[in-house]
Each structure stands twice: as structure tokens, then as C-alpha cells.
Amino acid sequence: MEFSGQVPRRRLGERGPLVPVFGLGSWNTWDRMETDDAVALIRYAVDRGVNLFDVAHYNFGPHAENAVTDIIFGKAVVEAGVAREDYLLCGKLWLWEYPKSSFAEQIETSLSRIGTDRADSVVVGDFFGELDIRAVVTDVAELVRAGRFETWGVNNWSADDLWLARDFAVAEGMEPPSFAQLKYSLARRSVPDGEPYGRLFTEGGLGLQASDVFEGGILAGKLNPQRKIGADPGGIRDRIRESFPEVQRVAESFGATPAQLAIAFTLTHPAAANVLFGASSRQQLDDNLGALDLLERHGDELRSAVEGLWIDRDVVSPDASWGTDAPAKA
């Protein structure tokens, strides 16, 4: 399937900005491309309306690997002739070493590596263990007031902790989180589709930003990825790999590719504002854009068609953070 024209936009939660339904992620993306290819891809993506880039400084906790993907992106976007006002930047604030590593220090380092003085939004992420949530909200709000970014979201937070953050921010007149960046795919649905986060989407006004939709490429047909990929809550990755023939069968029944099926499914979620993925070529991006044609033609049929591919059901608790391999409640 093919899609022509500009990529549509949705609002990223009730308080968030309008964003393209596709965003390009940075982890292990720009540093595995030739510079000229990265420049061409960025220029083409922006021209098609895919102008949200999720770019972070990966040098904290398990990501302490001195990656330079953010530096490469910053140089490539300039060479592509894309002005700062013509793209949306979503950054990250890491909790691994917080508060020793302050958010103010983190955002200064991250933005300077990219070559800009502001982001549009940030994701406060990787929340494991104890955390002073009120202090986090207060520190984030100070950066909003300082003009470093306008909106923020979270990843790897439980629904209860996110409610606390939202309610505290509203009560204190601070900027509350407007979205949750969650693993969401054909195989992993327990948290985004569960009741605890469901209330945040319907009653709390949060938007959903879907990530890890390809499971590191497995759901797109790259069954044994050689690069570093995301965590495996519930230990289900081998089962996901074994499910690929069914993914392929369902995709072919709609005249689509597995990648198009994986993306289109995530956009059927009522709260989904956009989906993040890493594309390393114009051809790959074009194929992914075809998910919009699949969504338009068969959106009402997709969820029932892939019901049997929900692998983390009864494995990951819907009220747990993504970092917790908690058994589902009876």
C-alpha cells in the first residue's frame, strides 16, 4: 500500500500540541546511517509532514554508551536546510541518576549537543524504585517556565504514579504531563489497553505516543536483530518472534506489509496521537507511510484481525510500569 500527500496530525493529549501521526526516533538510528543518507531522509520526512523527531542524549544508566546519534542528528538537520521552527523536537530527561544529575543540567547538555536552545516536549523516563514525584513535577515545571520546552510526558511510569504527578501539577498551577510514551505493538498491549491507563486517557486527558512498535524489527520481519533493542517486559520476545508468520499472514490478507500492519494497529487506539519508529532510508519511510492507507481502508477491521497476536496479555500487569515484569492480577 502507498500513501501520498501530507501526513495528518493529531493532538498529543488535551493540553499538548498538534503533532504528525508519525515521528522519527533517534536511538540507534542516525548513527547507523551515512551522513548524506541521514540528511536526505530528514529533508524528505519534513517535506512529507513527518517533522517530529525524538532525540535524546543516551548516556545514563543502561544507556551509558556514549552514543552520538543526537550530535549526528543536529548536524544533519542543519545540512538538510530545515529551520528550527519547521520541526518538533521531543527530548528526554532521565531518572537513573536524578536528582544528582539535575534536569537543568541534563537539558542543557542534550540541547547543546543537538545545537539548539529549546525542545518542544520532553519525556521523563525510566522510573524504577523510589521517586519524589512532587519534586520531579516541580523541577519539570521550572524548565517549562524557563522556556526550555512547552509540554512533557512520561515513560515507564505506573498509572498510579502518573495520576499523582498530574493531580499535583494541576493543584499547584504547574504544567501537568500531557502524554505517555509507552511500548505499544501487536504483541504488547497490556498497559496501554488496560483499565488503569485507560482512565488516564479518557478522564485524565492524556495522549498516547506509541514506541517499540516493531519490537526492534522483529514484527517487521527482521527476526534476529543484531543491534541493541528495548527491554523485554514479561520475557516474551521469543514468543513474539514465533508469531511473525501470523503477522505476515494477516498483513498479506489486507494487501499490506507487516510493518504497515504494525503501525496501523497502534493508530487505532483512541488516545493515540502518534507512533515513533526508526527509519534508515526513504524507501523504508515510504513503506511505513503506507500504513495510513491501510488504516483508512481497513481501520475498523484491524483490531479484531490481530486479536490472537496479543502476547503479553496475562503476562504483564496493566497497572505496572513497563519496567516491571509483574504478573497479571487474577
Side-chain angles (χ1 to χ4, degrees):
M1 292 186 171
E2 295 182 358
F3 175 80
S4 59
Q6 290 287 295
V7 169
R9 305 176 89 80
R10 297 181 180 180
R11 191 162 297 281
L12 188 57
E14 288 182 354
R15 300 174 63 94
L18 285 172
V19 297
V21 296
F22 292 164
L24 294 183
S26 69
W27 193 28
N28 292 320
T29 297
W30 307 111
D31 49 359
R32 55 190 170 95
M33 301 173 61
E34 296 294 333
T35 300
D36 289 347
D37 294 335
V39 170
L41 178 60
I42 289 171
R43 180 71 265 173
Y44 180 67
V46 171
D47 289 344
R48 295 298 304 271
V50 184
N51 70 332
L52 183 144
F53 299 94
D54 179 88
V55 183
H57 175 36
Y58 294 100
N59 201 30
F60 293 87
H63 306 306
E65 52 201 25
N66 294 315
V68 294
T69 191
D70 51 339
I71 295 175
I72 294 171
F73 169 79
K75 294 178 179 178
V77 75
V78 171
E79 290 188 35
V82 179
R84 178 62 187 87
E85 60 268 22
D86 292 333
Y87 73 92
L88 300 172
L89 177 64
C90 182
K92 285 219 171 40
L93 296 174
W94 300 106
L95 294 168
W96 295 103
E97 300 172 17
Y98 171 87
K100 180 180 179 181
S101 176
S102 73
F103 289 159
E105 293 170 334
Q106 288 189 43
I107 198 70
E108 175 63 29
T109 298
S110 181
L111 294 178
S112 65
R113 285 167 64 92
I114 296 170
T116 184
D117 62 357
R118 65 177 177 86
D120 295 281
S121 58
V122 299
V123 176
V124 180
D126 283 7
F127 173 7
F128 308 114
E130 299 298 320
L131 182 68
D132 185 342
I133 293 174
R134 293 174 178 82
V136 168
V137 173
T138 301
D139 288 349
V140 169
E142 290 180 359
L143 293 176
V144 172
R145 285 194 291 268
R148 298 304 249 169
F149 48 86
E150 296 179 2
T151 58
W152 65 288
V154 306
N155 69 357
N156 289 334
W157 286 44
S158 73
D160 286 345
D161 290 325
L162 186 47
W163 269 117
L164 174 58
R166 176 193 176 278
D167 290 348
F168 174 72
V170 171
E172 297 297 321
M174 300 175 182
E175 185 66 29
S178 63
F179 66 99
Q181 185 186 100
L182 299 173
K183 286 179 180 285
Y184 190 48
S185 70
L186 297 168
R188 299 187 188 272
R189 313 180 201 174
S190 291
V191 174
D193 283 355
E195 190 275 336
Y197 257 96
R199 287 187 55 242
L200 279 163
F201 295 139
T202 57
E203 300 173 26
L206 260 71
L208 169 63
Q209 187 175 75
S211 68
D212 297 88
V213 296
F214 296 145
E215 192 72 16
I218 293 172
L219 290 171
K222 299 177 182 178
L223 301 185
N224 296 289
Q226 299 302 305
R227 60 184 177 85
K228 182 179 179 180
I229 62 177
D232 181 15
I236 62 172
R237 186 155 291 146
D238 284 342
R239 291 177 59 194
I240 294 175
R241 189 176 288 109
E242 292 165 2
S243 76
F244 180 72
E246 177 63 8
V247 174
Q248 192 167 37
R249 185 196 68 78
V250 175
E252 290 175 351
S253 74
F254 289 116
T257 67
Q260 290 167 353
L261 177 67
I263 293 172
F265 164 77
T266 67
L267 293 175
T268 65
H269 192 291
N274 67 348
V275 53
L276 302 176
F277 53 76
S280 56
S281 69
R282 172 172 171 168
Q283 180 181 0
Q284 191 176 42
L285 179 57
D286 275 334
D287 181 64
N288 292 350
L289 291 176
L292 294 174
D293 185 58
L294 173 61
L295 184 67
E296 182 178 353
R297 292 173 182 265
H298 301 288
D300 293 340
E301 309 166 52
L302 291 180
R303 296 191 76 86
S304 59
V306 300
E307 183 66 17
L309 292 167
W310 183 351
I311 294 174
D312 76 343
R313 179 168 23 199
D314 301 326
V315 176
V316 173
S317 175
D319 62 356
S321 73
W322 272 111
T324 305
D325 297 347
K329 291 183 178 179

